[in-house]
Amino acid sequence: MPNFCAAPNCTRKSTQSDLAFFRFPRDPERCRIWVENCRRADLEAKTADQLNKHYRLCAKHFDPAMVCKTSPYRTVLKDTAIPTIFDLTSHLKNPHTRHRKQIKELTDEDIKRMKERRLASSAEQAVKKDEDSSNAADDEPQLSAEEKEYRDYLRSLFEILFLLAKHAIPLTTDRVSEEELKSNNFQAILDYCMNAGDEALRKRFEMTAVNSEYLTTTQLNQLLDVCENTVREEMLMEVRESRFYSLVTGNLVEFANSKHLPVFLRFVNQQNVLREEFMDFLPFVDGDESALVERLEAQLVDRWGLSMEDCRGQAHKATGTSTTKMKAVAVLLMEKYPLALHMPCSHMALNIHLANNLPYPNVQIVMENLRRITSFLKTPHTQDELQKAISTHFQKNEEKGNALKQMCLSGWTEQHDVFDVLLDILPSLLLCMDSIRDNSDGQFPSCVAMDAYSIGESLAEFEVIVTIVILKNVLTFTRAFGRNLQGETLDVFSAANSLTAVLYSLNEVNDNIDVYHEFWYSEAMSLAALMEIPVSVPRLFLRKQRAADLGEIQAETYFKEYVTIPVIRGIMQEVEDMFSDNNVKALKCLSLVPAVMGHMKFNTTEENYAEVYRGDLPNPDTLPAELHCWRIKWKHRGKEVRLPTTIHETLQLPDVKFFPNVDTFLKVLSTMPVLKVENSTGDTASERLKAYLNRMPAKHLNKSLAMLHINTHVKHDLDVMVDKYCRLYPEDDSEAEPEDVGEDVIVTKVI
């Protein structure tokens, strides 16, 4: 039954509005004030219980500051809320209309009595406020002048650290000053702030002896540690509120003489927006995979206060030798937590992900060359040299040459068709490397020429050419599938339904491997002949054959047995592992998105796949009925109503809260790492980390500053940091050793 607003000249009801409606209070005095403000003469004779039971006022009649939204589904009033916003005149414009809610005309006596009551109420509130403020003042610790100065000084230091982090300024530089002391950016900004009039810093350091320490390494690390932990805690609070999340790890990063694993968390916040945030660098030690799993669990559960039982997905973006270890980590995590589904990462094209996961040395050499080429072409003038080489090679086909030149300017090494492009530009790429290696005009430094020589020699191996040709042809069958996975929601749903066809095509190639290999090997030989590269079996293999007295082997047979067959079977196994039954069921549940539902003519069966997440739903027993209502709602919508096309759009709908199972279901699905981050207002955390690492030399990398730089969008309260620092590191004990966070820096006073 709908609620109607009791205010005069207000026709709102709950079925036509998302506004909250509030009962009249049971307290007789407060209830009388509500009635008095309403000016409803017919309500004055009713008791507070009657009014509480039968009458409501909508939120439009209260000051917005009096209305509190405690959750997406609950809105309450403050205890002292009084309705003050009413329309008492609009009925006068149409005096002949009959009004059910009669407005009381106030006499002079009524107005006088109301003023007296309001004055008395205001006086009581003022007295109460004074008492509260005096109690609060009594509770607050009284700080001495020295303590206030110390807190102001700490605040200035935190401001400087955030300035360094925001602008990606390293703590130290390589330049040496006249006094043979290392130049220090933190020191320079400290001096600048003091010269600019920062009294807190000036008072602290004005009496400091020349060349004495401003801050020790320990003190600086303590400050950085507090900054980092405070910002991280802000994000973790949101993760805990959302409950469900997915774990994403990035490529290994080397700094401070050790390897570190970037850790990201993906979750849907209280505004129903998908977030993927960088949390920390986890030390990565070569060894047992189970030990790495234990460290991950300890980080998430013990240090961050999360539950692994709420982890709904995992993705690991790994390259080189770490791929095998991270695959083992994913398997171990899924054994312990079956709902932490292992999926590809949306940050990386599926074909690159599949190739990276193949443990064969020849494939890993190709992938390493791709990474080296990507890095090499960022060197000044190398891209220009490649453009010239493409023009030279494609003199007789300018149209294709121009198309390839355009591709090479747009991050082709990270695209789904990377192996197609690599094969097309391979002759030009080798020509480019030879030209840079010759360096006839002295344009390139010797180190760049040496890199060109190394890459060129590797690309000129016949085994590398065959491997590129095989990868290109095999991954053609997964290219469209992978592109759809990184597309819109409907594309991802279509990809889930096309998986069977992809596996069928791969199986068909495997069953007819002799025929396919013959074509592919012929293609490799033609390309090698064009590049004047001799056909040969790898020298190491031949030596082993001779040592074992196994006789000679034909090149075509070798590459079939050791390249083509392992690659096709490896790709098939990777696709099957990456898209298990539970993974596919989860992706097919994307039919909950109205646009996908409409594409399927509203003939969807999400309940058949919902068993995976049944334990996550608030009311699993009512799911079939709720899904039926959800389909009916969109099937019989008005003509002017557009079907939401993404999970984000669907979650932003005000009435999705009336479908609690669907709402929870969509939030869980949204955290799947394979889905792209929607509604991203800028670069993702992964892209910001990549950009930071590209421009920051490893020797200057500080993990705390990196974390702060990537998360500059996260709000931070300097006073909270000051309080935390004072609590953790009292001024007389500030030399306590914190956890090591990066560079060894001593900030000294220099003339």
Side-chain angles (χ1 to χ4, degrees):
M1 182 176 177
N3 292 314
F4 294 88
C5 183
N9 295 325
C10 183
T11 58
R12 298 181 185 91
K13 58 181 179 179
S14 58
T15 55
Q16 298 174 341
S17 172
D18 293 325
L19 280 175
F21 283 72
F22 305 106
R23 297 173 184 270
F24 276 66
R26 282 199 176 93
D27 177 57
E29 183 60 26
R30 282 190 66 214
C31 187
R32 182 183 54 74
I33 297 174
W34 280 39
V35 172
E36 215 172 59
N37 287 4
C38 281
R39 300 268 294 274
R40 286 280 302 274
D42 55 317
L43 300 184
E44 290 183 348
K46 299 185 184 298
T47 65
D49 287 338
Q50 289 174 324
L51 290 168
N52 176 265
K53 187 175 181 180
H54 299 294
Y55 292 87
R56 313 282 188 272
L57 286 179
C58 70
K60 286 290 185 183
H61 305 293
F62 295 87
D63 187 309
M66 295 289 106
V67 181
C68 304
K69 197 172 182 67
T70 59
S71 78
Y73 314 108
R74 181 171 171 78
T75 304
V76 298
L77 285 175
K78 290 187 177 179
D79 293 340
T80 58
I82 299 293
T84 55
I85 305 170
F86 294 98
D87 174 12
L88 302 175
T89 59
S90 62
H91 66 287
L92 300 176
K93 298 176 183 177
N94 194 358
H96 301 293
T97 304
R98 182 174 176 270
H99 296 279
R100 183 174 60 86
K101 306 171 187 175
Q102 295 296 325
I103 299 177
K104 178 181 178 181
E105 296 296 332
L106 297 179
T107 63
D108 292 341
E109 186 65 28
D110 291 332
I111 294 172
K112 181 180 179 181
R113 188 169 59 252
M114 288 175 65
K115 285 183 177 179
E116 288 174 352
R117 286 174 181 165
R118 285 175 184 170
L119 286 171
S121 176
S122 299
E124 289 177 6
Q125 290 180 6
V127 170
K128 186 177 179 181
K129 186 176 180 180
D130 290 341
E131 290 176 354
D132 292 343
S133 61
S134 83
N135 290 336
D138 292 339
D139 293 339
E140 283 185 9
Q142 297 297 316
L143 299 177
S144 64
E146 291 79 6
E147 288 172 327
K148 288 180 180 179
E149 286 181 6
Y150 180 62
R151 294 174 70 87
D152 290 340
Y153 153 72
L154 289 176
R155 186 184 177 89
S156 296
L157 293 181
F158 283 128
E159 286 178 342
I160 292 173
L161 288 176
F162 274 100
L163 178 67
L164 289 170
K166 181 178 181 180
H167 297 286
I169 302 172
L171 288 174
T172 60
T173 66
D174 292 329
R175 291 190 298 274
V176 178
S177 65
E178 294 178 0
E179 290 79 11
E180 299 299 317
L181 294 171
K182 269 196 173 181
S183 175
N184 183 287
N185 291 324
F186 187 72
Q187 159 76 27
I189 297 178
L190 272 175
D191 287 334
Y192 176 82
C193 290
M194 284 188 281
N195 293 333
D198 190 315
E199 290 299 324
L201 292 176
R202 183 180 293 173
K203 286 180 181 178
R204 186 77 179 182
F205 296 124
E206 64 183 352
M207 301 305 293
T208 305
V210 174
N211 286 341
S212 64
E213 292 183 353
Y214 269 2
L215 289 175
T216 65
T217 303
T218 298
Q219 291 170 327
L220 187 57
N221 285 345
Q222 288 171 349
L223 292 165
L224 287 167
D225 198 44
V226 169
C227 288
E228 180 184 357
N229 289 332
T230 305
V231 170
R232 185 187 298 112
E233 184 58 30
E234 285 289 339
M235 296 184 287
L236 288 173
M237 285 174 61
E238 293 191 84
V239 180
R240 296 184 200 110
E241 288 174 355
S242 65
R243 182 185 169 189
F244 301 112
Y245 66 92
S246 285
L247 170 68
V248 180
T249 63
N251 287 324
L252 290 180
V253 179
E254 290 193 38
F255 60 88
N257 300 319
S258 59
K259 297 177 182 178
H260 296 80
L261 187 69
V263 179
F264 303 81
L265 293 181
R266 175 182 282 220
F267 60 96
V268 177
N269 65 13
Q270 293 299 301
Q271 288 72 46
N272 290 334
V273 176
L274 176 63
R275 299 260 301 278
E276 186 173 293
E277 301 291 2
F278 172 69
M279 292 293 171
D280 201 0
F281 290 105
L282 185 70
F284 184 92
V285 181
D286 293 327
D288 187 14
E289 291 82 4
S290 59
L292 180 56
V293 171
E294 289 176 2
R295 284 201 300 276
L296 267 172
E297 286 184 283
Q299 188 85 348
L300 290 164
V301 178
D302 299 336
R303 295 188 62 184
W304 295 350
L306 304 176
S307 170
M308 286 300 298
E309 300 292 343
D310 294 331
C311 182
R312 290 296 171 268
Q314 54 172 318
H316 306 287
K317 183 180 176 182
T319 57
T321 56
S322 64
T323 53
T324 304
K325 175 169 284 192
M326 295 313 298
K327 282 170 63 178
V329 167
V331 171
L332 290 173
L333 282 173
M334 279 197 67
E335 287 176 357
K336 299 179 73 173
Y337 311 102
L339 290 181
L341 302 178
H342 183 209
M343 293 184 168
C345 183
S346 62
H347 306 158
M348 182 184 286
L350 179 66
N351 280 357
I352 297 177
H353 184 82
L354 293 172
N356 275 331
N357 280 3
L358 295 178
Y360 313 120
N362 52 337
V363 175
Q364 289 304 316
I365 288 172
V366 169
M367 300 311 294
E368 178 61 26
N369 275 325
L370 265 177
R371 291 189 286 273
R372 292 177 66 192
I373 290 168
T374 303
S375 177
F376 181 80
L377 292 177
K378 293 176 182 175
T379 307
H381 309 300
T382 53
Q383 189 68 245
D384 297 335
E385 205 66 35
L386 177 60
Q387 298 281 314
K388 292 177 187 176
I390 293 174
S391 298
T392 302
H393 184 73
F394 289 96
Q395 285 179 347
K396 297 180 180 179
N397 191 349
E398 290 187 5
E399 184 178 350
K400 185 173 183 179
N402 290 333
L404 286 174
K405 284 194 282 186
Q406 195 62 35
M407 286 181 186
C408 290
L409 296 174
S410 57
W412 62 277
T413 56
E414 298 176 353
Q415 301 301 316
H416 298 277
D417 57 352
V418 54
F419 299 105
D420 300 73
V421 178
L422 177 59
L423 213 56
D424 285 338
I425 70 165
L426 199 55
S428 306
L429 196 57
L430 196 58
L431 184 63
C432 168
M433 296 302 164
D434 290 343
S435 174
I436 295 174
R437 181 188 63 181
D438 292 342
N439 200 19
S440 55
D441 55 0
Q443 182 180 10
F444 298 99
S446 57
C447 60
V448 175
M450 288 299 295
D451 287 342
Y453 172 76
S454 176
I455 294 172
E457 287 297 299
S458 181
L459 293 177
E461 292 286 341
F462 183 68
E463 184 182 22
V464 170
I465 293 174
V466 174
T467 305
I468 295 172
V469 170
I470 301 302
L471 285 171
K472 186 265 290 190
N473 285 288
V474 173
L475 293 173
T476 298
F477 298 102
T478 58
R479 186 169 59 203
F481 175 72
R483 188 175 283 117
N484 282 340
L485 278 179
Q486 292 188 336
E488 300 301 326
T489 308
L490 180 57
D491 298 325
V492 180
F493 179 77
S494 300
N497 287 286
S498 68
L499 180 63
T500 304
V502 172
L503 289 172
Y504 177 84
S505 299
L506 292 172
N507 273 296
E508 195 272 335
V509 172
N510 186 53
D511 293 342
N512 300 278
I513 196 67
D514 292 336
V515 177
Y516 282 95
H517 175 72
E518 184 178 344
F519 282 110
W520 297 343
Y521 186 72
S522 175
E523 181 182 354
M525 288 186 65
S526 299
L527 182 60
L530 178 66
M531 299 169 63
E532 300 179 345
I533 295 173
V535 175
S536 62
V537 175
R539 178 181 54 82
L540 182 60
F541 177 82
L542 286 176
R543 192 173 69 184
K544 289 181 179 179
Q545 286 285 100
R546 289 167 186 156
D549 198 20
L550 296 176
E552 296 293 331
I553 186 173
Q554 294 296 318
E556 184 174 356
T557 305
Y558 166 81
F559 288 112
K560 173 187 168 184
E561 295 296 328
Y562 293 95
V563 181
T564 304
I565 292 177
V567 166
I568 184 65
R569 292 180 181 172
I571 294 296
M572 288 170 60
Q573 189 61 51
E574 283 297 322
V575 172
E576 289 175 358
D577 291 345
M578 200 63 67
F579 299 97
S580 63
D581 289 342
N582 280 348
N583 291 23
V584 174
K585 285 179 181 178
L587 291 174
K588 287 185 176 180
C589 288
L590 291 173
S591 57
L592 283 169
V593 175
V596 179
M597 202 179 289
H599 179 76
M600 300 296 291
K601 308 299 182 186
F602 299 97
N603 185 24
T604 55
T605 54
E606 298 86 2
E607 51 267 36
N608 294 340
Y609 311 117
E611 195 62 33
V612 180
Y613 298 117
R614 183 177 178 82
D616 298 336
L617 304 180
N619 303 299
D621 295 333
T622 65
L623 179 63
E626 188 175 312
L627 290 176
H628 175 72
C629 294
W630 181 251
R631 283 191 285 268
I632 294 300
K633 166 183 169 61
W634 295 107
K635 186 175 182 179
H636 299 291
R637 71 193 186 283
K639 291 182 179 180
E640 72 284 355
V641 177
R642 186 183 71 88
L643 292 174
T645 58
T646 66
I647 295 179
H648 172 72
E649 282 186 30
T650 309
L651 287 174
Q652 295 303 314
L653 297 171
D655 51 356
V656 74
K657 63 186 179 184
F658 299 118
F659 299 87
N661 287 319
V662 172
D663 182 57
T664 302
F665 216 146
L666 289 172
K667 288 177 180 176
V668 173
L669 293 175
S670 190
T671 65
M672 291 192 297
V674 72
L675 301 179
K676 68 177 184 179
V677 180
E678 301 167 1
N679 194 43
S680 180
T681 54
D683 295 338
T684 63
S686 175
E687 290 169 340
R688 292 195 296 273
L689 173 61
K690 183 179 177 181
Y692 183 82
L693 295 175
N694 283 340
R695 66 174 177 264
M696 183 66 67
K699 59 186 175 183
H700 292 155
L701 187 61
N702 178 285
K703 88 178 190 72
S704 296
L705 286 182
M707 191 269 188
L708 295 175
H709 173 79
I710 296 160
N711 295 304
T712 51
H713 61 287
V714 178
K715 65 177 183 179
H716 57 270
D717 190 329
L718 295 178
D719 292 326
V720 170
M721 295 182 189
V722 170
D723 289 338
K724 185 179 291 187
Y725 186 89
C726 291
R727 187 173 65 254
L728 292 175
Y729 311 110
E731 188 172 7
D732 57 352
D733 190 32
S734 59
E735 293 298 323
E737 287 293 330
E739 180 185 354
D740 184 28
V741 295
E743 303 174 22
D744 289 334
V745 179
I746 295 179
V747 183
T748 57
K749 187 175 182 180
V750 182
I751 302 178

